[in-house]
Amino acid sequence: MSHPDFVGTTVTVGQNSTTEKQLREGTFKTILQRGQDVSGRVEDDNASPVSEATVWAGRKYTRDRKQTTSDAGGHFFFHSVQSGEGLFAVMAKSHGADAKTVNVHADMSEIIFQLKAGSVIRAHVQDESGQPVADARVGLEGGYGDPSYDAYEFTANTDSNGDFSWDGAPNQTMTFYIFH
């Protein structure tokens, strides 16, 4: 269940006979909790604003993950974020991606991301005979708790020479999957 002014919730049918009965009879009621408004800024290492940065609130592949883009002044805003510890991440072209865990609560200070110069990852994909593989899909892989898996979203396809690059990768260990 979701509503833009509230934090989403999940109701599972089949695990609780009372809930299932109420759902089937149309008498089920749930209370949605209001979330917190969260704002922040994305800056470079000289404190200049970074516009058009992609900013996320929440872990990848979770129902409450939200995405926005920083404006010309580097500002971003999220409406109705769940209170408590939350993961926030940012990626911007030519800047290193960054992520941090923040305690979300009413009247909290804005979140400041100060991005350093980005790392560039370049790779070549070829088959067993040494021929380039065009249009191979490349993406981040990992497990829950791994920052590259939980925070960042990167996918690309190789070009006709079998090459791909990521301008703005974080300077940390990351695992990629590649398939065709």
Side-chain angles (χ1 to χ4, degrees):
M1 289 179 228
S2 66
H3 185 281
D5 293 334
F6 298 90
V7 176
T9 189
T10 300
V11 176
T12 304
V13 176
Q15 292 182 341
N16 180 307
S17 61
T18 302
T19 300
E20 184 173 354
K21 181 179 178 194
Q22 290 172 345
L23 284 165
R24 294 187 188 285
E25 293 173 349
T27 60
F28 178 81
K29 294 180 185 176
T30 190
I31 298 172
L32 295 178
Q33 302 296 318
R34 290 204 182 270
Q36 304 297 325
D37 289 342
V38 176
S39 62
R41 275 189 335 266
V42 182
E43 304 173 341
D44 65 15
D45 51 6
N46 294 315
S48 297
V50 176
S51 63
E52 298 184 27
T54 302
V55 186
W56 293 277
R59 296 191 183 289
K60 189 166 50 172
Y61 305 126
T62 61
R63 73 167 181 262
D64 290 330
R65 179 143 167 119
K66 298 175 183 286
Q67 178 179 324
T68 192
T69 303
S70 63
D71 65 16
H75 300 278
F76 64 88
F77 178 81
F78 291 105
H79 182 61
S80 199
V81 176
Q82 185 168 356
S83 295
E85 295 291 309
L87 178 67
F88 291 81
V90 61
M91 286 176 49
K93 187 170 177 58
S94 302
H95 295 84
D98 193 14
K100 59 176 77 176
T101 300
V102 174
N103 184 18
V104 175
H105 57 86
D107 303 318
M108 65 183 280
S109 300
E110 67 178 356
I111 300 169
I112 307 296
F113 283 101
Q114 195 164 39
L115 304 182
K116 298 181 182 346
S119 298
V120 178
I121 294 174
R122 292 182 185 90
H124 178 75
V125 179
Q126 62 188 33
D127 64 19
E128 57 277 348
S129 69
Q131 296 300 307
V133 177
D135 207 33
R137 188 80 169 149
V138 180
L140 286 175
E141 186 173 77
Y144 186 80
D146 175 3
S148 67
Y149 178 78
D150 284 344
Y152 311 122
E153 296 185 20
F154 171 79
T155 59
N157 285 19
T158 57
D159 63 19
S160 60
N161 296 317
D163 300 326
F164 77 93
S165 66
W166 180 8
D167 178 8
N171 190 17
Q172 63 190 63
T173 302
M174 292 174 290
T175 303
F176 292 89
Y177 66 89
I178 301 169
F179 66 95
H180 189 262

